[in-house]
Amino acid sequence: MKLTEIVRERGLAVTAEVAPPKGSDPAAALGEARKLAALVDAINVTDGQGAAMRMSPIALARLMVEEGIVPVWQATCRDRNRIALQADLLAADALGVENALIVTGDHMVLGDHPDAKPVFDLDSVQLLHVAAEMLEGHDLAGNALDTPLDLCLGAVVAPEADNVELQLIKLRKKIDSGAEFIQTQAIFDPAAFARFMERADLQGVPVLAGIIPVTSPQAARFMNARIPGVNVPTWVIQLLNEAEVSDRPKVAAQIAGQIGASALEHCQGLHIMAQGRSRMLPDILSFAGVARA
Amino acid sequence: MSMQRTVQRPTSRIVEAIPAGARVCVIGCGDCATVEHFGGEAECIELAEALREQGVEVSGWACPPEGDGVCNLTVARRLQSAAAEVLERSDVIVLLACPQGEPAVARATGLPVIMATQVIVGGLTGGNQVAVEDCHFCEVCIARAAGGLCPHSFCPKQMVNGPCGGAQGGRCEVLPKRPCVWEQIHRRLKAAGRLDVLAVYQAPISFAPTSGEDAED
C-alpha cells in the first residue's frame, strides 16, 4: 500500500524502520519487521545507513512484501549512478515495493568503507525529478518505458538542521520535483517544529515527523557527534541523567512519545527510528497517542 | 596546488547558451588564448563560421593583437573602440578567453557575455584536500552568483540543489575542518538579494567526455 493512501484512509501514518542484515540471512531483520508491522502502518528499509555496507534493501523489502508487510524502500544516491538508480526503481516496483524514500545518503567517510568511490551522480532532488518522469513513462534520457513506474515517492528534510532557511528552500524543490510525502530527520523541539511547519511551503504534501528514542546520555552524545542533522537537546540528556538506569527505557519512550504527540498537532504522521529497540515501540506509540486499539 | 587549462566548449553547448534571435559578436584574446589556440584570431574566425552554420546570426568577430589579453580592462576598452561598429549590431558577446577575461569584456562592452570556453581543473586544491571538478555548466551557475563558490566543486557530495543538512556549527560533516560551502553560498546570496538562484531546479549535469575531444594535447 502507498503511504499517501494510508494517510488518506487513516488520517495519519505511523512508520518505523529496520536495517538489512550485515550478512545474507534475513531472518533476524524479518523477525524485527514482523514485530514492528503489528504496531505501525509501514516500515522503512534503510539503504546502507550511515554508509555501512549491508544487504540490499530491495531484497529485504521484497521479503517483507511476501509477508504482507508494507515497506518504504530508502533509495540513496550515494552508491549508484543514474543508470543503476533508474534500474533499481524499476526493480523495486516489479517486486511489489510501493514506496521509495529518495535520499542523497550519508557520505562514505562516515561509514565502514571510507575509501569507496563516492558516486553522487544525482542528488536527492534530481532523483525525485527523474523518478517523477518515470511515473509519466519516460526515463532520464527521454526514452519511453514499456510500462510507467508506479511508486509513491518520498523525500526527507531536517527541520533542526543548522540552517533552516536552506532546508525550507530545498524542501520546496523536492515537492516541486515530485515528492508525495515527507519524512523528517529526528525532531526534539516541538516548538521549533511547529515554526518550521508554519514556514514550510508543503503544497498539501503530508509530513511524518521523525522521532528517535534516546536511551542514555551516552547515546545522546554519540548521536550529536555522529548523526547528521540530529541535535539531542540538553533537557533530554538531563532527564536521562536523573533517571535510574533501569527506568531509562521507559523515560526514553515517554520523551519520544510526548515529542511525537506535540508534533502530530502540526503534521500527518510519525516515523519512529527505534534503532533495533522494537520493544520500546508500544510505549512510544501509546505516549504519542497513536497506539493501535 | 591546482593544474588547470582552458579549452573551447563544444559548439552545441555554446549555441544552447545563446538566446534565440540574438546577434552575436565573437571576441577572442591575444594572450594565452592565442598561444594555446583556444581563442586567437584563427579560432574566432572558425567559431564565427561554426555558429553561422548552426543558424546563429553573427555580426562579426574581434581579437586584440598578439600579446594583449582581454583580462586587461585597457585592452578590452581599446578593443571596444576598434570594434564599435560590429558591437553596435550585436546583442551578446561570445567570448573565447579564459574566465579572467569575462569581467573586463562585460564592463568594456556593456553586453552580456557567453563563455565559449571552460576551465578543466585536475589535481587537488591547497590545504583543503577537495578534488575540484571541471565546470559542468549547471542550468544556473551558482558560483557566478556567489562569487566563485561552486557547490559541485566544494561540496564533498557534489550537491547542486541545496545542502545535505548535516553541517554542524557551519562546518561540513564530511570534512569538519572546512566550512559548509552551502552555508557560505547562502550567506553571500542572501546579502546580494539573490536567494532566487537557490530556488531553481538544477538538472543532472553531463559527464559525457565531449570536452576531452575538443581539447588538444
Side-chain angles (χ1 to χ4, degrees):
Chain A
M1 198 173 187
K2 290 179 175 166
L3 257 179
T4 42
E5 289 166 4
I6 294 170
V7 173
R8 213 175 302 133
E9 278 181 20
R10 266 195 79 194
L12 85 169
V14 180
T15 58
E17 71 184 34
V18 293
K22 184 93 174 174
S24 56
D25 182 357
L30 262 181
E32 174 90 356
R34 268 181 223 122
K35 274 187 253 166
L36 293 169
L39 305 166
V40 298
D41 299 305
I43 300 174
N44 276 215
V45 189
T46 55
D47 183 5
Q49 191 175 13
M53 192 288 295
R54 284 166 175 270
M55 179 194 285
S56 161
I58 298 177
L60 186 60
R62 167 64 194 179
L63 294 171
M64 287 163 62
V65 167
E66 285 173 13
E67 301 203 12
I69 302 169
V70 180
V72 178
W73 164 44
Q74 291 194 359
T76 74
C77 299
R78 177 190 56 228
D79 305 318
R80 284 160 291 193
N81 72 5
R82 60 192 76 182
I83 298 173
L85 286 167
Q86 293 177 93
D88 278 355
L89 287 168
L90 296 176
D93 184 10
L95 293 171
V97 176
E98 292 181 280
N99 303 289
L101 185 79
I102 309 283
V103 301
T104 300
D106 297 322
H107 195 281
M108 342 341 233
V109 301
L110 305 174
D112 64 359
H113 288 63
D115 298 323
K117 181 175 186 182
V119 181
F120 300 113
D121 186 21
L122 304 181
D123 64 26
S124 53
V125 180
Q126 291 165 341
L127 183 54
L128 278 163
H129 209 92
V130 171
E133 283 291 310
M134 293 171 77
L135 297 181
E136 300 292 321
H138 295 278
D139 68 11
L140 171 54
N143 300 314
L145 302 172
D146 299 337
T147 47
L149 181 70
D150 185 16
L151 280 174
C152 178
L153 305 174
V156 297
V157 69
E160 297 188 3
D162 264 14
N163 190 319
V164 174
E165 189 169 15
L166 276 176
Q167 287 294 311
L168 287 164
I169 294 171
K170 194 170 179 188
L171 173 62
R172 179 57 206 266
K173 264 184 173 177
K174 287 181 172 180
I175 288 167
D176 288 346
S177 293
E180 296 168 80
F181 68 93
I182 301 293
Q183 180 175 304
T184 81
Q185 182 53 281
I187 61 158
F188 288 97
D189 182 348
F193 180 65
R195 285 195 298 277
F196 180 87
M197 289 298 288
E198 217 162 88
R199 291 176 68 190
D201 188 0
L202 287 157
Q203 308 282 310
V205 169
V207 174
L208 277 60
I211 302 291
I212 294 186
V214 187
T215 49
S216 71
Q218 294 82 354
R221 278 190 285 274
F222 174 82
M223 286 162 59
N224 282 346
R226 298 292 300 276
I227 304 185
V230 170
N231 297 301
V232 183
T234 44
W235 67 265
V236 171
I237 299 173
Q238 222 160 15
L239 279 176
L240 290 166
N241 258 329
E242 286 161 11
E244 296 287 333
V245 172
S246 58
D247 288 342
R248 276 180 186 166
K250 195 89 184 170
V251 172
Q254 184 171 6
I255 294 169
Q258 285 169 350
I259 293 170
S262 306
L264 276 173
E265 291 170 23
H266 308 280
C267 66
Q268 293 71 37
L270 300 178
H271 172 64
I272 296 156
M273 297 165 269
Q275 299 168 315
R277 296 189 176 83
S278 56
R279 62 185 184 283
M280 293 180 70
L281 253 281
D283 276 348
I284 298 172
L285 297 176
S286 105
F287 280 117
V290 290
R292 285 185 178 164
Chain B
M1 77 162 236
S2 87
M3 294 162 60
Q4 61 180 58
R5 62 191 175 134
T6 308
V7 297
Q8 198 171 317
R9 290 169 71 182
T11 309
S12 59
R13 289 286 185 89
I14 301 169
V15 172
E16 276 171 32
I18 299 170
R23 297 165 302 169
V24 166
C25 176
V26 176
I27 288 185
C29 175
D31 203 342
C32 32
T34 295
V35 177
E36 290 176 25
H37 303 293
F38 65 82
E41 272 191 30
E43 289 77 30
C44 286
I45 294 166
E46 219 173 77
L47 180 60
E49 206 42 54
L51 292 177
R52 283 192 184 114
E53 271 171 28
Q54 298 292 315
V56 175
E57 190 182 331
V58 180
S59 326
W61 61 271
C63 186
E66 189 161 346
D68 282 356
V70 287
C71 50
N72 180 328
L73 188 57
T74 315
V75 171
R77 284 195 170 129
R78 213 179 294 142
L79 186 75
Q80 195 276 331
S81 332
E85 193 220 341
V86 173
L87 288 166
E88 257 167 45
R89 289 183 283 111
S90 306
D91 305 303
V92 294
I93 305 286
V94 167
L95 184 59
L96 274 170
C98 74
Q100 273 119 322
E102 190 199 5
V105 170
R107 203 163 145 195
T109 62
L111 291 175
V113 174
I114 292 164
M115 292 304 290
T117 62
Q118 67 188 81
V119 181
I120 295 182
V121 190
L124 297 172
T125 61
N128 296 330
Q129 294 295 298
V130 176
V132 175
E133 301 288 319
D134 48 339
C135 175
H136 289 278
F137 296 96
C138 293
E139 297 277 299
V140 174
C141 178
I142 292 173
R144 187 163 297 170
L149 292 170
C150 168
H152 188 265
S153 297
F154 290 105
C155 168
K157 292 189 192 174
Q158 306 181 341
M159 301 182 77
V160 291
N161 274 299
C164 65
Q168 298 199 336
R171 301 263 140 197
C172 172
E173 69 167 12
V174 177
L175 300 163
K177 286 181 184 163
R178 285 177 44 78
C180 166
V181 70
W182 276 104
E183 301 273 348
Q184 296 177 300
I185 289 169
H186 183 228
R187 257 197 312 278
R188 285 202 192 166
L189 292 181
K190 199 169 181 175
R194 287 302 312 277
L195 285 182
D196 59 303
V197 172
L198 299 185
V200 178
Y201 168 69
Q202 301 274 13
I205 56 182
S206 171
F207 290 90
T210 48
S211 57
E213 235 166 67
D214 282 18
E216 281 179 45
D217 278 317

